[in-house]
Amino acid sequence: GPRPLLADLEANGAQLCEVLSDPASRADIQSKLASIGRQYNALQKKLDLKKAEIEGSLRDGRQFEASCAKTLGWLSDELGSLTERLLISAIRDVLEQQLAHHEPIYRDVLAREHEVIMLLNKGREMLSRNTKGDTRSLQRDLDKIQQSWDKLRKEAVDRQTRLQTCKEHCRKYYNALESFLPWLRQAEDKIDLLRPQSFEKKHIEKQLKELQTFRNEVWKKSGEYENTKSLGDTFVSSCDIDKDVVKNE
């Protein structure tokens, strides 16, 4: 290799200096040998740096390939768990269970977003640096990660949004219903009491007055009834299954 050649050159130079009697000639040879030594050391340093750069690039490449494989595996598993269409139930307890099941998946997906974006950016940086090698395999992996990620993120967010929307409609409907039902039960009891008990004029007049009062009360409550019914319709329309449970209430 180059080092033995340089050693031979230095040895020959030293021997030449020993036989030369002219100090200027000796100094010239020693100066040239020193210059060659510096050039060699500089070249060796460049080679060492290049070697370290290549080794680092190979190591980065292997680590990146492993990260790509791991990420693709995770994306595939998550997408596999979301293949079935989400049919949101109008039954309160079931809806709560559906939300409790999906929310951790949604949070995990969003928590991994930064990691996926960093991986994609790293891959694009590697592509831009590698202008000579075959980059088709890397490009394929990046495209697949991007497509799978976009699909997974959209599905996770869409499901969470639908479930949260249904939960909010459910909350508003049942709050209104629980406020309206006690009055409705009392009104039903009152209707039973308003049945004619006597055909005497004074009794009939009293009952007519009570009936008019009751009708006024019902009229005042009609807005609350319509609001409760509207909230129920909105809730039912946002769900996919078990709608009859709400409709029959």
Side-chain angles (χ1 to χ4, degrees), residues 181-230:
L181 276 180
W183 174 85
L184 185 62
R185 292 191 184 104
Q186 286 179 356
E188 288 170 343
D189 293 340
K190 197 173 286 187
I191 288 173
D192 290 336
L193 294 173
L194 288 173
R195 287 175 183 168
Q197 296 173 354
S198 166
F199 291 101
E200 290 183 29
K201 185 178 178 182
K202 63 177 182 179
H203 289 151
I204 292 172
E205 286 175 349
K206 182 186 176 187
Q207 285 192 315
L208 284 172
K209 189 176 180 181
E210 288 174 350
L211 181 61
Q212 186 60 44
T213 302
F214 178 68
R215 286 181 65 181
N216 290 340
E217 190 180 341
V218 170
W219 182 81
K220 287 177 184 176
K221 282 286 183 178
S222 62
E224 189 175 336
Y225 164 75
E226 290 298 334
N227 180 58
T228 303
K229 184 175 181 299
S230 174

Side-chain angles (χ1 to χ4, degrees), residues 96-230:
E96 287 288 346
Q97 289 167 13
Q98 288 178 316
L99 186 57
H101 171 74
H102 179 68
E103 195 149 18
I105 298 171
Y106 165 75
R107 293 189 183 282
D108 183 46
V109 168
L110 289 196
R112 297 284 290 268
E113 184 167 22
H114 179 70
E115 181 185 329
V116 174
I117 290 171
M118 292 292 287
L119 185 69
L120 289 167
N121 288 342
K122 172 83 172 173
R124 292 182 186 117
E125 182 190 339
M126 291 172 69
L127 279 175
S128 66
R129 287 204 314 259
N130 189 351
T131 56
K132 295 179 182 177
D134 187 357
T135 58
R136 285 176 296 180
S137 176
L138 175 58
Q139 185 66 64
R140 274 196 305 270
D141 282 348
L142 290 177
D143 290 345
K144 193 169 182 182
I145 289 171
Q146 184 72 67
Q147 289 163 7
S148 298
W149 167 250
D150 289 344
K151 186 177 179 182
L152 174 62
R153 191 185 189 287
K154 183 180 184 304
E155 186 64 30
V157 170
D158 285 354
R159 288 185 180 219
Q160 183 71 8
T161 301
R162 285 182 62 213
L163 285 164
Q164 285 286 10
T165 300
C166 287
K167 181 184 176 183
E168 184 61 14
H169 290 324
C170 177
R171 183 189 67 79
K172 288 180 179 179
Y173 166 63
Y174 279 103
N175 281 349
L177 185 66
E178 283 160 15
S179 172
F180 183 70
L181 276 180
W183 174 85
L184 185 62
R185 292 191 184 104
Q186 286 179 356
E188 288 170 343
D189 293 340
K190 197 173 286 187
I191 288 173
D192 290 336
L193 294 173
L194 288 173
R195 287 175 183 168
Q197 296 173 354
S198 166
F199 291 101
E200 290 183 29
K201 185 178 178 182
K202 63 177 182 179
H203 289 151
I204 292 172
E205 286 175 349
K206 182 186 176 187
Q207 285 192 315
L208 284 172
K209 189 176 180 181
E210 288 174 350
L211 181 61
Q212 186 60 44
T213 302
F214 178 68
R215 286 181 65 181
N216 290 340
E217 190 180 341
V218 170
W219 182 81
K220 287 177 184 176
K221 282 286 183 178
S222 62
E224 189 175 336
Y225 164 75
E226 290 298 334
N227 180 58
T228 303
K229 184 175 181 299
S230 174

Side-chain angles (χ1 to χ4, degrees), residues 77-92:
D77 289 344
E78 291 299 313
L79 282 168
S81 71
L82 299 177
T83 50
E84 283 189 28
R85 181 169 170 249
L86 173 63
L87 297 174
I88 298 178
S89 173
I91 299 173
R92 258 196 296 188

Side-chain angles (χ1 to χ4, degrees), residues 60-75:
D60 285 350
R62 286 192 295 270
Q63 289 174 350
F64 182 77
E65 285 175 8
S67 295
C68 280
K70 184 180 176 183
T71 300
L72 282 168
W74 173 74
L75 287 167

